[in-house]
Amino acid sequence: EAEVAQSPRYKITEKSQAVAFWCDPISGHATLYWYRQILGQGPELLVQFQDESVVDDSQLPKDRFSAERLKGVDSTLKIQPAELGDSAMYLCASSPYPLTEAFFGQGTRLTVV
Amino acid sequence: TQLLEQSPQFLSIQEGENLTVYCNSSSVFSSLQWYRQEPGEGPVLLVTVVTGGEVKKLKRLTFQFGDARKDSSLHITAAQPGDTGLYLCAGEGGTSYGKLTFGQGTILTVHP
């Protein structure tokens, strides 16, 4: 069964350092989402791609966060510099169209110390 | 920004009991989805409802979309410990076309 792949699963980094997360969506899915989830809360959309284009990044803290999907397939989310408040689960999801069922990866658990 | 409010935020029950989780908004959604998430994993879609008044059943789970497409409920009959998890509703449509907005979730614990 096709899955959304994310790496790493866990990441511990010191504040002020740079960190990057990678996501490989299900093959053929044009829409890709990055969400941030605080423990015990609902996911918050950071950025949404349609193919290689950003269609919504209104909640992305652009002073420190960046996201790209250069070839319209896999995607990278970067934080530089990381802050203590960035500790959270970062979830990637994909769907064939915006918006049908979203398939989520297992996420990357980030801890900033 | 369209907001979805879920209630209750926490629910702790004994095995065999019934429960209902609510998802409410002041905005109209084109569709509403329910997800279940286990600790350390990503959310998994349970159901999508798109028509006002729609009722869908998935084994012991019953989902309903409000007539005005502003609210939804999830009812679980005879809860089991395996139902334990974070239940999330998410709406799409209206001013958030193509964007999935999540509620804050309901943490359900079913004790044996």
Side-chain angles (χ1 to χ4, degrees):
Chain A
E1 184 175 326
E3 295 182 342
V4 175
Q6 287 188 250
S7 66
R9 284 293 307 275
Y10 306 95
K11 180 69 177 180
I12 300 175
T13 190
E14 294 183 347
K15 62 181 180 180
S16 80
Q17 295 299 305
V19 63
F21 314 128
W22 177 78
C23 172
D24 190 13
I26 293 173
S27 178
H29 281 195
T31 307
L32 185 146
Y33 311 85
W34 282 102
Y35 285 88
R36 176 171 59 187
Q37 185 178 27
I38 305 298
L39 187 64
Q41 297 184 16
E44 172 195 21
L45 180 68
L46 292 175
V47 62
Q48 177 180 342
F49 289 92
Q50 183 63 25
D51 298 310
E52 67 276 7
S53 300
V54 174
V55 296
D56 188 339
D57 64 355
S58 57
Q59 300 301 312
L60 187 72
K62 299 181 186 64
D63 57 335
R64 299 185 299 109
F65 285 65
S66 64
E68 60 182 17
R69 193 184 184 198
L70 292 177
K71 296 182 179 179
V73 181
D74 59 339
S75 176
T76 302
L77 178 69
K78 297 180 181 178
I79 308 175
Q80 182 174 16
E83 297 179 353
L84 295 177
D86 296 331
S87 295
M89 174 78 88
Y90 289 83
L91 293 163
C92 178
S94 70
S95 62
Y97 308 102
L99 188 293
T100 54
E101 176 182 354
F103 294 84
F104 283 83
Q106 291 181 304
T108 296
R109 168 70 66 188
L110 173 67
T111 302
V112 182
V113 297
Chain B
T1 303
Q2 295 178 285
L3 297 177
L4 281 166
E5 293 190 4
Q6 287 188 237
S7 61
Q9 189 173 356
F10 302 95
L11 196 52
S12 180
I13 61 172
Q14 294 297 126
E15 182 176 2
E17 294 184 2
N18 302 331
L19 66 111
T20 302
V21 176
Y22 299 93
C23 176
N24 295 294
S25 175
S26 58
S27 303
V28 175
F29 289 96
S30 300
S31 68
L32 197 138
Q33 302 178 3
W34 283 94
Y35 291 79
R36 178 171 168 269
Q37 184 177 21
E38 296 188 17
E41 302 291 332
V44 176
L45 181 70
L46 296 174
V47 76
T48 301
V49 286
V50 297
T51 305
E54 181 177 5
V55 177
K56 282 192 175 180
K57 292 189 175 183
L58 185 65
K59 296 183 180 179
R60 294 177 293 102
L61 278 60
T62 302
F63 305 85
Q64 184 164 7
F65 203 11
D67 291 341
R69 304 206 314 275
K70 294 182 178 181
D71 57 271
S72 181
S73 64
L74 158 61
H75 183 79
I76 301 179
T77 303
Q80 300 177 359
D83 296 327
T84 294
L86 175 66
Y87 288 82
L88 297 157
C89 66
E92 183 274 332
T95 59
S96 299
Y97 177 74
K99 175 180 175 180
L100 202 58
T101 301
F102 281 85
Q104 80 273 30
T106 295
I107 298 175
L108 170 66
T109 304
V110 182
H111 301 280

